[in-house]
Amino acid sequence: MVPDERPSAEGPATFREVFAQHEFRAVFVAGALSWVGDYVAKAAVTLLVYQQTRSVALSAAAFAVSFLPWLLGGPVLAALAERHPYRRVMVACDLIRMSLMLLIAIPNLPYQAVLVLIFAATLANPPSQAAKSALMPQLLTGDRLVLGLSLNSSVGQAAQVVGYVFGTAVASIDPEVALLFNAATFGLSALLVRLGVRDHPALMSSAHRSHLLRETRQGFSIVFRTPVLRAIAVLVFSAMLFSIVPEGLAAAWANEGAKGEMSAGAAQAVIMVANPVGFILGGLLVSRLFGPARRLRLMRPLAVLAPLVLVPALLDPPPLAVALLAALCGFAVAGMLPMANGLFVQALPNGFRARAFGVMATGVQVIQGLAVLITGLLAERFPIPVVVGVWSAAGVVLMTAAALRWPDRQTVDDAIAAASAANAQPPFKPDSPADGGTAPGTPDPRAGDGNRRHAVT
């Protein structure tokens, strides 16, 4: 069942209510396993390539190659997931990644083959994650969905910390063992999803398919031509533009800012871990302690607060203080994201869920990469504290503008009602939106003229 109304003003959903849904439990545990395995593999592959080549550049390339599928074809691969039952997509992607990880674990494999295989394995990430995102509203409703999204985001951040630490430790002894561990996590994930999730039918039947690129374009259209979805996208993309910066510049910042109280390596680790830890706490605490109506009111203040807490970087604080600022930023971003994601899901027609996720995930990847790249180039000419502080001050201005232009309650309600009406109709036919029209069963993306600028309350 897909939620067809705004979150109620009643108390927040509980962890017990969310985990009582057995299909969600299976997806949650499977996702946690594959995420941990993914980060273990990143640490292992990076070390494996470095041991073979003694090249920092090639080692970095082994790490960066995992992001390429999102940049080169994330929305198209996500659109592919829309065509098939989501459980089948998730299981197939896990089995493909398991098989390729077993190949990468072959001893003495040339690093060129390792890079090719790791790229092939990560091609399965966009359709798998898109299918998982699209499946969630079929498993949870109302405020349970918001809490479930928060739990998924938090476990992803926790998996990053655990995976990197565990992966580095195991890979330093034997990288192949770490890769075999990753293959095992994908195998277990496939088994959990296959046995624990019902085979929900595909939302796009073969009779309603068009060209894959046309379907991908429709994903972009529904996100950026629907005022409410566009407002949420702007808010999320803006948050990613600055929240990643302390983590991305951690190595250089630690080496320049560590002044005897701790080693540069320890300072780097503290700064890099701070944002995920803050994200975990923010996502869980805000979602659990505040009801839906209160979270809705907090969403925009938290969005502005996220860059604001990084502005004191201008004062060139010590590494521990930098880590605290990064943690507060992660807390604020995680506090507002689940509610934004929940509204996004409810204002989105069923047949566009996987494609819209592909658009959003690709945008997040590109924006984070650009933010680190641009601030890194600026840090070549200016002190890092100045770069981060000024960049964050610009983020405050950007987030304030996004918050002020947030659509009013009636516009949000209209968008959710239009999506609900579309979901109650027969599956859409995808031929007319490609020409700028609106397909049967699809809300007009221009619903809501965007002229209402008052707050949602």
Side-chain angles (χ1 to χ4, degrees):
M1 179 178 179
V2 177
D4 58 1
E5 58 184 19
R6 292 168 57 83
S8 70
E10 299 174 1
T14 65
F15 295 130
R16 178 178 296 180
E17 291 172 339
V18 171
F19 284 112
Q21 219 290 348
H22 69 91
E23 291 182 275
F24 173 79
R25 289 200 306 270
V27 172
F28 179 83
V29 175
L33 281 171
S34 59
W35 268 325
V36 170
D38 248 350
Y39 289 116
V40 167
K42 284 183 181 180
V45 167
T46 301
L47 182 58
L48 188 67
V49 171
Y50 181 75
Q51 288 177 344
Q52 281 194 22
T53 65
R54 296 297 169 182
S55 168
V56 176
L58 287 173
S59 177
F63 181 87
V65 74
S66 62
F67 294 98
L68 285 179
W70 284 112
L71 304 182
L72 299 180
V76 177
L77 293 169
L80 189 63
E82 202 88 77
R83 295 181 167 196
H84 306 282
Y86 298 138
R87 185 186 72 171
R88 189 181 306 170
V89 172
M90 294 166 67
V91 170
C93 288
D94 278 342
L95 293 178
I96 289 170
R97 291 182 289 190
M98 180 189 72
S99 302
L100 292 172
M101 283 299 161
L102 289 173
L103 291 176
I104 298 172
I106 295 174
N108 302 317
L109 197 67
Y111 77 88
Q112 295 93 335
V114 171
L115 293 177
V116 170
L117 288 172
I118 197 68
F119 175 76
T122 53
L123 282 173
N125 289 353
S128 175
Q129 293 184 33
K132 177 182 175 181
S133 176
L135 179 65
M136 289 291 291
Q138 298 184 14
L139 308 182
L140 300 172
T141 62
D143 198 49
R144 294 181 183 88
L145 174 63
V146 176
L147 184 56
L149 293 171
S150 177
L151 285 166
N152 271 328
S153 297
S154 297
V155 78
Q157 296 293 320
Q160 180 177 351
V161 176
V162 173
Y164 281 157
V165 173
F166 180 72
T168 302
V170 175
S172 63
I173 301 171
D174 191 340
E176 284 82 9
V177 171
L179 292 167
L180 289 173
F181 172 82
N182 187 28
T185 62
F186 284 131
L188 286 172
S189 174
L191 186 64
L192 282 169
V193 173
R194 177 64 182 81
L195 298 179
V197 178
R198 292 189 297 107
D199 192 17
H200 300 267
L203 294 178
M204 180 190 295
S205 68
S206 57
H208 296 132
R209 293 178 187 171
S210 63
H211 192 281
L212 189 60
L213 292 179
R214 174 181 291 182
E215 293 166 12
T216 303
R217 188 164 65 246
Q218 290 165 1
F220 280 94
S221 178
I222 197 72
V223 171
F224 292 109
R225 293 180 62 213
T226 306
V228 171
L229 300 183
R230 184 173 62 242
I232 295 171
V234 169
L235 202 67
V236 172
F237 292 161
S238 299
M240 297 302 107
L241 193 60
F242 53 81
S243 62
I244 190 65
V245 171
E247 189 175 343
L249 301 183
W253 205 346
N255 280 276
E256 293 182 10
K259 301 171 182 176
E261 65 270 20
M262 65 172 61
S263 67
Q268 177 183 348
V270 167
I271 295 173
M272 292 192 75
V273 168
N275 190 272
V277 169
F279 195 99
I280 293 168
L281 293 175
L284 294 179
L285 292 178
V286 174
S287 295
R288 185 64 191 90
L289 296 179
F290 299 104
R294 179 69 59 83
R295 287 201 306 268
L296 197 60
R297 290 193 292 270
L298 286 174
M299 187 169 65
R300 286 169 299 141
L302 285 172
V304 176
L305 180 65
L308 184 62
V309 298
L310 292 176
V311 174
L314 283 166
L315 302 177
D316 192 12
L320 284 177
V322 172
L324 177 61
L325 298 179
L328 289 173
C329 177
F331 186 98
V333 171
M336 68 94 175
L337 275 184
M339 198 66 203
N341 289 342
L343 287 177
F344 190 90
V345 166
Q346 294 178 78
L348 186 67
N350 289 347
F352 289 89
R353 295 199 189 282
R355 283 174 285 174
F357 173 84
V359 171
M360 295 296 294
T362 300
V364 166
Q365 296 286 340
V366 171
I367 286 171
Q368 286 184 323
L370 286 175
V372 173
L373 176 63
I374 293 171
T375 53
L377 291 173
L378 290 172
E380 293 286 335
R381 300 192 59 180
F382 305 100
I384 292 178
V386 172
V387 171
V388 176
V390 173
W391 184 266
S392 302
V396 173
V397 175
L398 180 62
M399 284 303 234
T400 301
L404 291 175
R405 293 177 63 86
W406 186 261
D408 71 354
R409 178 169 183 166
Q410 186 61 50
T411 303
V412 175
D413 286 340
D414 289 347
I416 293 174
S420 299
N423 294 339
Q425 295 180 21
F428 65 91
K429 292 184 179 182
D431 40 4
S432 54
D435 301 320
T438 303
T442 304
D444 186 344
R446 292 155 291 191
D449 59 12
N451 291 328
R452 304 183 183 93
R453 302 302 181 196
H454 303 294
V456 179
T457 56

